[in-house]
Amino acid sequence: MAGALDRSDAVVALESTIITHGMPYPKNLDTALTVQAAVRDSGATPATMAIMGGKLKAGLSDSEIEGLARQGQMVSKCSRRDIPFLIENGSNGATTVAATMIIAEMAGIWVFATGGIGGVHRGAESSMDISADLQELAKTSVVVVCAGPKSILDIGLTLEYLETHGVPVVGYQTNELPAFFAPNSGFGVDYRLDSAAEIASVLKTRRSLGLVGGMVIANPIPEEFALDQTLMEQVIEQTIREADEQWITGKDLTPFLLKRAEELTDGESLEANIQLMLNNAKLGAEIAKALTA
Ligand code: PSU
Ligand code: MN
């Protein structure tokens, strides 16, 4: 990794919470390694971020990834607020979108690919559950390639929040915001861009103006892997109801909703998640390459 940065090669940041809290073992391990390979096959260098033994790491070895994958939710889920505490304790931490963006920015990496970002949860009018990922997008200059906000969230409120904080939501080859498991959400994007070169160009312009902050590149799940929207809506309503009944809140909520969705769809949501992640990793690599051109 250090070598790649020295040569100012194309580097794509990847997160580790998706490994520990987003998918079960051993699919999480297999996916993490396949995603890294996809970045390499596309001509860029992958850098999976985490805190290992109290140190920020940009780029993990396969055996470090395996360790995190096996420990799963035993590893601390690490967002911005958690970073100094895990360092003080010499612990391991799996970085969320927010924490991954922070490490990426420190390491000089502009592009980060993941599955889905955190957002404004449904019912946030009373719970005030808004992911720290959104605040990070407001202030940290890393572009996040994702498949759009997951429909466990309130997509409309998530867009309002991003707009307030000046975070552009770009549709990759689409005018409509994708909704993670589905290529369509009924919401529009702020801008549509059709190539990695155009995205890189906008990023360079923004940086040259000294405008800080992230950007969301929403890349629709390939049609053949999309899930039925009516079915997913029922599944999501049930998972949210269960979380309510069991008083699941704070950092535990998103992992709970993901796990229940996977169980209720007999693993179909997991399969879709893997495919969209791969799709995003490839686009991330193309953008990273275009930035070095
Ligand atoms: N959405 C997914 N898969 C994930 C996550 C979100 O589809 O694994 C993870 C990411 O690491 C994201 C975090 O940063 O959940 C958001 O958690 P919270 O809602 O607690 O901020
Ligand atoms: Mn939350």
Side-chain angles (χ1 to χ4, degrees):
M1 238 306 294
L5 279 180
D6 293 345
R7 295 192 307 274
S8 58
D9 282 356
V11 180
V12 179
L14 300 164
E15 62 157 304
S16 43
T17 293
I18 191 172
I19 303 174
T20 54
H21 292 69
M23 294 182 185
Y25 181 82
K27 286 255 178 176
N28 58 351
L29 173 59
D30 188 52
T31 304
L33 298 178
T34 309
V35 163
Q36 291 212 133
V39 171
R40 287 194 190 97
D41 288 347
S42 304
T45 303
T48 300
M49 308 299 189
I51 297 182
M52 301 300 295
K55 293 204 160 57
L56 302 180
K57 284 204 86 173
L60 301 185
S61 68
D62 287 1
S63 67
E64 285 173 320
I65 289 177
E66 180 169 356
L68 292 177
R70 282 182 183 276
Q71 289 166 52
Q73 301 212 11
M74 306 279 288
V75 182
S76 294
K77 175 177 163 185
C78 172
S79 191
R80 167 178 277 270
R81 68 166 179 205
D82 310 296
I83 294 174
F85 297 90
L86 295 175
I87 291 176
E88 278 297 309
N89 292 335
S91 313
N92 291 347
T95 51
T96 61
V97 167
T100 300
M101 288 177 75
I102 292 170
I103 304 178
E105 190 179 58
M106 284 177 182
I109 301 167
W110 288 30
V111 185
F112 162 28
T114 188
I117 54 171
V120 180
H121 279 269
R122 295 190 191 185
E125 312 86 276
S126 54
S127 71
M128 289 187 68
D129 191 341
I130 300 173
S131 175
D133 292 351
L134 299 185
Q135 269 301 313
E136 209 57 53
L137 280 159
K139 61 188 166 215
T140 301
S141 299
V142 172
V143 53
V144 181
V145 183
C146 64
K150 188 166 287 170
S151 36
I152 57 174
L153 302 168
D154 187 318
I155 296 180
L157 291 185
T158 300
L159 288 174
E160 291 294 347
Y161 194 97
L162 291 171
E163 179 177 26
T164 299
H165 291 279
V167 179
V169 177
V170 173
Y172 178 68
Q173 298 181 347
T174 179
N175 295 312
E176 196 173 333
L177 180 70
F180 203 80
F181 295 126
N184 305 102
S185 66
F187 291 91
V189 293
D190 301 323
Y191 296 94
R192 170 189 175 139
L193 295 175
D194 288 335
S195 70
E198 288 171 67
I199 295 168
S201 202
V202 172
L203 288 171
K204 284 179 181 169
T205 298
R206 204 159 77 128
R207 191 154 287 211
S208 73
L209 293 169
L211 291 171
V212 297
M215 191 179 294
V216 175
I217 307 294
N219 186 26
I221 184 171
E223 224 25 277
E224 64 268 37
F225 303 117
L227 300 182
D228 181 75
Q229 287 196 63
T230 324
L231 171 75
M232 280 318 289
E233 190 50 38
Q234 285 165 7
V235 165
I236 285 156
E237 274 168 19
Q238 181 173 339
T239 58
I240 292 174
R241 205 163 49 240
E242 288 178 7
D244 257 357
E245 285 160 9
Q246 298 175 43
W247 294 92
I248 292 167
T249 57
K251 71 201 282 191
D252 298 330
L253 179 61
T254 297
F256 176 87
L257 296 176
L258 296 177
K259 180 161 163 284
R260 284 301 288 144
E262 181 207 320
E263 289 164 357
L264 291 169
T265 59
D266 271 330
E268 253 196 86
S269 71
L270 176 59
E271 210 40 54
N273 203 344
I274 293 169
Q275 294 300 336
L276 63 84
M277 177 69 234
L278 273 172
N279 192 45
N280 296 341
K282 289 175 197 160
L283 178 57
E286 294 307 322
I287 298 169
K289 281 193 296 180
L291 280 168
T292 63

